[in-house]
């Protein structure tokens, strides 16, 4: 650990990255930032000669003719072709991509897992554990859900995904993402979004870390349409933070691992690839504090659809039906009258994977623990267990603060297929399906009370 710490300190000593991480506010803004004065060209993107002997290079997150296009111009010490050499295939047996359908694994069912135990010797890449896959990475539709377990920092080791953007949801421990466009710190109750194609490395801040990842193969995440809700509440654009420019000028043997069409390849280079001195554009990583999410809900009667709690959505080709929705269930007031307040029983065209960040989820008071995961696949019925149903059906309905709770959902229009790891190695709660066994028949043929 001392050697690793010394290496990290040496990395920082030859970069312009300070101890205080700075950010620029605003979702999908067109940012401009420079780490050295005058490094960013003004009035044009590609001058004949860039200041400081930098190279101009565009990173495109959409097709050129997309409306609006998403792209960032980078001004860097070396062009990216100098950070790309011959590739050799490497095996990452626990990081799977769709389609990944194991004929020996049954994905049809209601499933729940305890937290996956952490093991030593795992970094951001080797510590990724895929739970489910959906869609097809080759046709750029669908997603995968992962648990990450990190016990070691990446040293002179970098990564990018050509397949997907990553939505990172920490559950325990803090991470620092050193990216081409700047530095992002992430801790529990925050999320990070790492775009497709962006090179980065991940370091631990103060000990082991664990959490959840949604790997989005399809269209990028965006803020959901608010409709009649109007301009306020939910996730506000100003609360998303993009990093300021920060660069490293280090000539040291390094490796870059690339995820491409579900396969992993490694290339060796002679320097740090995080050498962007200035940049401008709207294709960038972000962080967001989930505590700034302002939920809206019923203030008279009935429980609204969970879509009311959508933080981000990745659209599909079908309006109103998402490739992925990221939905947050956080602290909030419950005030609806004459109403069953927890989520009701239902079955759904969407497939729902949930994770618990902290606290107790109101529909499942027992068993769904922080760090745990549940899966309710498309058109499979689910809802409150007996204790939750009885408690909500017989409670005195006063205004009640649902406190100390934060769970989320990765919801997709595709069926989510369990990986072999999820089915055979992860700590599956075999008795979860039995939580509905004690539900009683209450029908007596008599009219209910008015």
């Amino acid at each position: 650990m001392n050697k690793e710490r010394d290496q990290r300190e040496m990395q920082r000593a030859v970069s312009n990255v300070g101890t205080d991480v700075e950010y620029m506010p605003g979702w999908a803004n067109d940012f401009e930032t420079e780490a050295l004065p005058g490094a960013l060209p003004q009035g044009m993107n590609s001058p004949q000669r860039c200041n400081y002997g930098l190279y101009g290079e565009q990173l495109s997150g959409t097709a050129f003719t997309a409306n609006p296009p998403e792209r960032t111009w980078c001004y860097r010490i070396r062009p990216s072709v100098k950070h790309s050499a011959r590739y050799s295939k490497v095996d990452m047996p626990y990081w799977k991509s769709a389609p990944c359908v194991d004929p020996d694994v049954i994905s049809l069912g209601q499933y729940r897992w305890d937290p996956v135990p952490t093991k030593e010797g795992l970094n951001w890449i080797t510590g990724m554990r895929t739970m489910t896959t959906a869609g097809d990475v080759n046709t750029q539709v669908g997603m995968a859900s992962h648990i990450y377990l990190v016990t070691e920092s990446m040293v002179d080791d970098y990564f990018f995904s050509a397949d997907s953007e990553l939505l990172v949801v920490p559950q325990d421990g803090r991470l620092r993402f050193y990216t081409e466009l700047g530095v992002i710190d992430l801790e529990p109750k925050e999320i990070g979004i790492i775009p497709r194609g962006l090179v980065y490395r991940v370091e631990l801040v103060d000990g082991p870390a664990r959490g959840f990842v949604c790997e989005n193969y399809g269209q990028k995440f965006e803020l959901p349409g608010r409709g009649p809700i109007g301009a306020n509440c939910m996730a506000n654009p100003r609360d998303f933070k993009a990093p300021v420019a920060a660069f490293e000028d280090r000539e040291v043997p390094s490796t870059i691992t690339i995820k491409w069409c579900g396969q992993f390849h490694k290339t060796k280079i002679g320097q740090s690839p995080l050498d962007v001195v200035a940049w401008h554009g709207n294709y960038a990583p972000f962080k967001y504090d989930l505590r700034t999410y302002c939920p809206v809900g019923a203030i008279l009667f009935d429980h609204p659809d969970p879509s009311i709690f959508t933080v981000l959505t990745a659209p599909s080709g079908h309006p109103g039906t998402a490739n992925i929705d990221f939905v947050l269930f956080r602290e909030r007031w419950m005030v609806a009258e004459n109403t069953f307040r927890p989520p009701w029983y239902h079955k759904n065209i969407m497939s729902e994977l949930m994770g618990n960040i902290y606290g107790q989820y109101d529909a499942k008071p027992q068993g769904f623990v922080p760090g745990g995961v549940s899966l309710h696949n498309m058109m499979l019925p689910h809802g409150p267990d007996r204790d939750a149903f009885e408690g909500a059906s017989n409670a005195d309905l006063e205004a009640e603060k649902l406190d100390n709770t934060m769970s989320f959902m990765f919801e997709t229009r595709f069926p989510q297929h369990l990986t072999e790891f999820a089915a055979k190695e992860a700590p599956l709660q075999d008795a979860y399906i039995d939580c509905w066994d004690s539900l009683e028949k209450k029908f007596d043929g008599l009219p209910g009370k008015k």
Side-chain angles (χ1 to χ4, degrees):
M1 290 297 292
N2 290 336
K3 180 181 178 182
E4 182 181 309
R5 184 177 65 248
D6 292 343
Q7 286 176 298
R8 291 202 305 269
E9 291 303 320
M10 182 172 64
Q11 287 180 165
R12 295 191 183 98
V14 290
S15 73
N16 78 317
V17 178
T19 55
D20 295 327
V21 180
E22 299 180 52
Y23 303 99
M24 302 175 288
W27 173 260
N29 279 2
D30 211 285
F31 298 102
E32 64 172 34
T33 173
E34 58 186 9
L36 295 176
L40 190 68
Q42 297 297 314
M44 63 186 307
N45 294 323
S46 186
Q48 185 178 19
R49 288 186 296 275
C50 296
N51 289 342
Y52 297 99
L54 298 173
Y55 289 85
E57 177 178 295
Q58 183 174 248
L59 173 63
S60 295
T62 59
F64 294 136
T65 54
N67 186 24
E70 296 191 8
R71 53 86 186 102
T72 288
W73 272 94
C74 303
Y75 302 91
R76 55 193 317 151
I77 296 171
R78 296 175 178 85
S80 289
V81 291
K82 290 291 291 183
H83 303 318
S84 179
R86 290 176 174 84
Y87 295 96
S88 58
K89 189 175 179 182
V90 293
D91 189 26
M92 296 293 166
Y94 287 103
W95 192 332
K96 301 295 185 181
S97 296
C100 180
V101 182
D102 190 326
D104 297 324
V105 169
I106 299 175
S107 298
L108 181 66
Q110 298 94 337
Y111 294 103
R112 190 166 67 189
W113 293 264
D114 287 325
V116 177
T118 301
K119 298 180 180 179
E120 293 300 316
L122 299 176
N123 65 23
W124 176 254
I125 306 171
T126 60
M128 203 68 69
R129 299 289 184 265
T130 306
M131 299 295 288
T132 67
T133 65
D136 187 343
V137 69
N138 295 289
T139 56
Q140 298 186 354
V141 293
M143 57 163 283
S145 63
H146 314 281
I147 302 292
Y148 70 80
L149 309 168
V150 180
T151 57
E152 291 183 354
S153 296
M154 298 169 69
V155 178
D156 300 324
D157 193 12
Y158 304 87
F159 175 76
F160 77 87
S161 174
D163 289 343
S164 53
E165 69 173 335
L166 301 183
L167 171 61
V168 183
V169 186
Q171 192 270 319
D172 185 45
R174 295 190 294 161
L175 296 173
R176 174 167 284 192
F177 289 76
Y178 288 86
T179 83
E180 292 179 281
L181 302 186
V183 182
I184 286 179
D185 278 349
L186 280 186
E187 64 183 27
K189 306 177 189 178
E190 297 178 330
I191 59 171
I193 301 168
I194 309 298
R196 186 193 306 255
L198 189 73
V199 178
Y200 62 95
R201 73 170 186 271
V202 182
E203 293 188 2
L204 294 169
V205 176
D206 52 10
R210 62 180 300 129
F212 314 90
V213 171
C214 181
E215 185 177 3
N216 174 20
Y217 307 144
Q219 294 184 54
K220 287 179 77 280
F221 280 109
E222 60 186 42
L223 295 178
R226 297 170 184 260
I229 294 170
N232 301 295
C233 296
M234 303 177 73
N236 290 308
R238 65 179 295 219
D239 294 320
F240 289 84
K241 312 292 185 184
V244 300
F247 70 93
E248 297 177 347
D249 185 9
R250 297 188 305 107
E251 297 189 16
V252 59
S254 304
T255 60
I256 301 180
T257 302
I258 300 148
K259 182 176 186 290
W260 191 88
C261 293
Q263 297 181 339
F264 291 82
H265 297 78
K266 185 167 289 189
T267 187
K268 296 181 179 180
I269 59 176
Q271 65 282 328
S272 167
L274 308 185
D275 61 358
V276 176
V277 179
W279 61 271
H280 77 87
N282 60 357
Y283 191 67
F286 288 92
K287 68 177 292 183
Y288 174 73
D289 190 334
L290 295 172
R291 290 161 291 194
T292 65
Y293 184 81
C294 182
V296 294
I299 56 174
L300 188 58
F301 62 88
D302 276 354
H303 184 99
D305 294 333
S307 52
I308 201 75
F309 299 134
T310 300
V311 182
L312 293 167
T313 186
S316 72
H318 301 278
T321 304
N323 183 59
I324 308 168
D325 282 329
F326 173 63
V327 181
L328 181 69
F329 306 99
R330 62 156 304 182
E331 295 88 351
R332 57 198 183 274
W333 280 94
M334 312 286 278
V335 299
E337 300 174 349
N338 190 30
T339 292
F340 185 79
R341 290 179 177 176
W344 15 251
Y345 297 100
H346 69 292
K347 54 184 180 180
N348 190 355
I349 190 65
M350 306 291 277
S351 298
E352 304 171 357
L353 183 135
M354 288 192 62
N356 189 346
I357 300 172
Y358 66 82
Q360 178 178 291
Y361 181 58
D362 59 334
K364 300 286 193 309
Q366 305 296 325
F368 188 36
V369 299
V373 174
S374 69
L375 174 66
H376 301 112
N377 241 318
M378 57 181 299
M379 285 304 173
L380 289 181
H382 53 284
D385 59 24
R386 182 183 183 278
D387 290 344
F389 177 81
E390 294 295 340
S393 298
N394 297 292
D396 294 328
L397 293 184
E398 299 177 348
E400 175 188 7
K401 177 71 176 294
L402 193 62
D403 214 351
N404 187 38
T405 183
M406 185 175 285
S407 300
F408 68 88
M409 182 164 64
F410 299 150
E411 183 180 66
T412 177
R413 68 190 183 104
F414 298 100
Q416 298 193 45
H417 292 275
L418 270 62
T419 61
E420 184 178 15
F421 170 79
K424 299 179 181 180
E425 292 187 53
L428 181 66
Q429 296 180 6
D430 291 329
Y432 174 54
I433 189 65
D434 301 328
C435 75
W436 295 287
D437 280 356
S438 58
L439 287 169
E440 301 168 332
K441 174 183 175 182
K442 297 179 178 294
F443 177 74
D444 58 9
L446 301 175
K449 294 181 180 178
K450 296 294 185 180

